[in-house]
C-alpha cells in the first residue's frame, strides 16, 4: 500500500473544505434570497392594504361632498330642465357647490347638468359658460341608466 504524503492529504482536505464552504455559501445565499423575497412580499401586501384604506377614505370624503350637492338639487324638487335652470343657474349655487367641492381635493369639478346635456352650473367658473356634455360617455351612461350611481369613466 502506498503512503499518502502529507501534502497530498492537505490538498485533499483543502479541496473538501473549499467545496464545503462553497456549498454552505450557496445554501446560505439561497436561504437569504428566499427570505428577502418573503419579506418584500409581506411588505408589499401591507403597503397595498394601507393604500386601499387611504383610497377608500379619500373617496368617502369626496362622496360626502358630492352627496351634499345632490341632496340640495333633489330637495329643490325641479320637475323639468327649465325649473332646474331657474333654481340652480345662479351664483349662490355656484358658491355652495364650490364650497362643498373645495372640502375634498379629489373633486376636480362638480356639475349640475340638464337632461339634454347642457351644463346649468359647475364649480370651475361663474358665470357658467355654455357647455353641452351630451356626447360624453359618463353623460350617456347616466342618461341611459338613471339608476346608475357611480361611474368611473374614461379620462377627458
Amino acid at each position: 500500500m502506498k503512503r499518502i504524503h502529507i501534502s497530498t492529504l492537505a490538498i485533499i482536505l483543502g479541496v473538501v473544505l473549499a467545496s464545503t464552504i462553497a456549498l454552505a455559501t450557496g445554501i446560505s445565499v439561497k436561504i437569504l434570497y428566499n427570505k428577502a423575497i418573503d419579506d418584500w412580499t409581506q411588505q408589499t401586501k401591507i403597503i397595498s392594504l394601507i393604500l386601499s384604506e387611504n383610497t377608500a377614505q379619500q373617496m368617502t370624503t369626496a362622496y360626502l361632498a358630492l352627496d351634499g350637492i345632490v341632496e340640495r338639487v333633489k330637495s329643490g324638487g325641479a320637475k323639468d330642465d327649465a325649473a332646474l335652470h331657474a333654481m340652480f343657474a345662479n351664483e349662490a349655487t355656484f358658491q355652495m357647490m364650490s364650497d362643498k367641492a373645495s372640502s375634498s381635493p379629489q373633486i376636480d369639478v362638480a356639475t349640475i347638468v340638464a337632461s339634454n346635456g347642457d351644463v346649468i352650473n359647475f364649480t370651475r367658473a361663474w358665470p357658467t359658460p355654455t357647455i353641452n356634455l351630451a356626447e360624453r360617455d359618463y353623460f350617456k351612461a347616466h342618461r341611459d341608466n338613471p339608476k346608475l350611481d357611480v361611474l368611473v369613466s374614461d379620462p377627458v
Side-chain angles (χ1 to χ4, degrees):
M1 207 173 197
K2 248 181 168 184
R3 282 182 76 179
I4 299 178
H5 294 312
I6 292 180
S7 62
T8 305
L9 184 60
I11 291 173
I12 292 172
L13 286 176
V15 168
V16 169
L17 184 60
S19 298
T20 304
I21 290 171
L23 181 63
T25 301
I27 291 170
S28 296
V29 166
K30 179 67 174 164
I31 289 170
L32 290 172
Y33 173 79
N34 289 339
K35 179 156 179 22
I37 294 292
D38 291 344
D39 289 348
W40 280 102
T41 300
Q42 187 63 28
Q43 288 178 9
T44 302
K45 288 177 182 178
I46 291 168
I47 290 170
S48 295
L49 178 61
I50 291 168
L51 286 173
S52 67
E53 287 295 323
N54 181 266
T55 300
Q57 290 174 356
Q58 298 293 326
M59 294 305 293
T60 298
T61 300
Y63 287 144
L64 288 173
L66 294 174
D67 287 347
I69 295 170
V70 169
E71 287 304 314
R72 181 71 63 92
V73 172
K74 283 182 178 180
S75 70
K79 301 293 182 198
D80 57 25
D81 288 347
L84 191 67
H85 193 275
M87 285 183 218
F88 297 107
N90 56 59
E91 192 170 2
T93 300
F94 165 77
Q95 194 59 52
M96 175 274 298
M97 291 172 53
S98 294
D99 290 344
K100 290 194 179 292
S102 69
S103 71
S104 181
Q106 300 79 9
I107 300 173
D108 178 45
V109 62
T111 310
I112 299 173
V113 182
S115 63
N116 67 352
D118 288 341
V119 172
I120 293 173
N121 208 329
F122 75 155
T123 57
R124 286 207 172 127
W126 179 258
T128 304
T130 303
I131 301 172
N132 187 283
L133 304 175
E135 295 304 315
R136 302 280 173 93
D137 63 335
Y138 53 85
F139 180 83
K140 290 176 183 178
H142 282 94
R143 179 195 63 208
D144 297 344
N145 183 3
K147 293 183 180 181
L148 180 64
D149 186 27
V150 174
L151 170 76
V152 177
S153 69
D154 293 332
V156 177

